[in-house]
């Protein structure tokens, strides 16, 4: 009887150790899968740009000029019709029913509403594409728009509180995935993002560094 209780205690202890490990592995796996989705979007964006005089895809704001939202224009560059919805969605999306998780930075669109004199929609105009975010994961409060609204803070710095209302900064265990304008993806902690936003001359969101 004593031996049985010892065995039960050992099994319970092992379960207590293994269960969190399994949960952590699954969480990291979902983070990696999300990052891979963003890499595919990055490849699709570069292919689109190469077919369009190195211009980045636009948003619903450019409909009057005959533009098509990136969500539609990138579809032909994502392999297989059935995979499009999977590539554009993260399993950790706080709004699982919305069409896409990833949203484009409005600073990289033609003449964004908050800074109409800017136009960083041409890749050659982005001085440090490795430093500027192109796509990020939308927060729950953001809703279903196809672009973030960062440009209204041009020249003034983006408050962390506003950034968090747009981007799901902690969706992956206190971090989130970010696709940069050169096509690479980084998983950044909430604290790291806050530091970058507070750095003078940062190009993290605004490619002009202002």
């Amino acid at each position: 009887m004593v031996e049985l209780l010892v065995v039960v205690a050992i099994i319970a202890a092992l379960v207590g150790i293994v269960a969190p490990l399994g949960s952590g592995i699954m969480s990291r796996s979902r983070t990696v899968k999300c990052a891979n989705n963003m890499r595919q979007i990055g490849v699709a964006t570069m292919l689109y740009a190469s077919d369009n005089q190195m211009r980045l895809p636009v948003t619903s704001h450019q409909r009057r000029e005959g533009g098509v939202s990136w969500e539609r224009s990138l579809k032909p560059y994502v392999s297989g019709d059935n995979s499009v919805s999977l590539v554009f969605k993260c399993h950790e999306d706080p709004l699982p029913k919305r069409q896409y998780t990833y949203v484009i930075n409005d600073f990289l669109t033609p003449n964004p509403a908050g800074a109409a004199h800017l136009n960083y929609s041409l890749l050659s105009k982005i001085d440090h594409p490795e430093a500027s975010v192109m796509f990020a994961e939308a927060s729950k409060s953001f809703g279903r728009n196809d672009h973030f609204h960062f440009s209204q803070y041009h020249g003034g710095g983006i408050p962390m509180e506003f950034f968090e209302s747009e981007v799901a900064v902690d969706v992956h265990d206190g971090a989130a995935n970010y696709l940069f304008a050169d096509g690479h993806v980084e998983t950044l902690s909430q604290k790291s993002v806050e530091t970058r936003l507070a750095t003078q001359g940062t190009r993290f969101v605004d490619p002009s560094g202002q």
Side-chain angles (χ1 to χ4, degrees):
M1 183 65 178
V2 174
E3 290 83 356
L4 179 60
L5 291 175
V6 171
V7 171
V8 170
I10 292 173
I11 292 173
L14 288 173
V15 169
I17 294 172
V18 173
L21 288 175
S23 176
I25 291 171
M26 289 298 295
S27 178
R28 286 192 292 275
S29 175
R30 289 191 291 268
T31 301
V32 170
K33 187 171 183 179
C34 172
N36 286 335
N37 285 347
M38 296 189 97
R39 289 189 186 94
Q40 290 188 60
I41 292 174
V43 170
T45 299
M46 296 306 165
L47 291 172
Y48 172 91
S50 69
D51 286 342
N52 291 273
Q53 295 78 50
M54 299 311 294
R55 295 187 181 280
L56 295 171
V58 297
T59 72
S60 55
H61 275 327
Q62 284 73 48
R63 284 178 297 188
R64 291 182 180 179
E65 294 80 33
V68 177
S69 171
W70 65 266
E71 182 269 330
R72 291 177 57 194
S73 62
L74 291 186
K75 282 183 179 180
Y77 299 93
V78 177
S79 59
D81 292 338
N82 292 329
S83 65
V84 170
S85 60
L86 299 178
V87 170
F88 288 174
K89 288 282 295 181
C90 172
H91 283 292
E92 302 286 356
D93 193 323
L95 292 180
K97 292 185 178 181
R98 63 182 164 192
Q99 197 169 2
Y100 41 82
T101 301
Y102 314 110
V103 179
I104 198 168
N105 176 3
D106 65 338
F107 269 113
L108 302 187
T109 64
N111 313 112
H117 62 291
L118 298 181
N119 189 351
Y120 285 102
S121 63
L122 194 64
L123 278 174
S124 62
K125 289 187 176 183
I126 305 174
D127 293 334
H128 296 279
E130 78 288 350
S132 299
V133 168
M134 182 164 59
F135 279 86
E137 301 182 72
S139 69
K140 183 177 182 178
S141 60
F142 182 74
R144 293 174 170 81
N145 290 318
D146 65 351
H147 59 281
F148 292 118
H149 305 104
F150 299 135
S151 61
Q152 61 183 302
Y153 288 101
H154 173 62
I158 299 175
M160 185 61 181
E161 293 78 12
F162 179 79
F163 191 86
E164 290 175 323
S165 71
E166 301 266 301
V167 180
V169 295
D170 59 355
V171 68
H172 297 294
D173 294 326
N177 290 316
Y178 299 85
L179 170 64
F180 289 77
D182 68 343
H184 88 276
V185 176
E186 292 185 35
T187 303
L188 300 175
S189 69
Q190 184 175 3
K191 183 63 178 177
S192 176
V193 168
E194 186 172 5
T195 299
R196 293 189 186 205
L197 289 176
T199 302
Q200 187 173 6
T202 180
R203 288 179 165 81
F204 183 60
V205 177
D206 184 347
S208 72
Q210 296 180 16

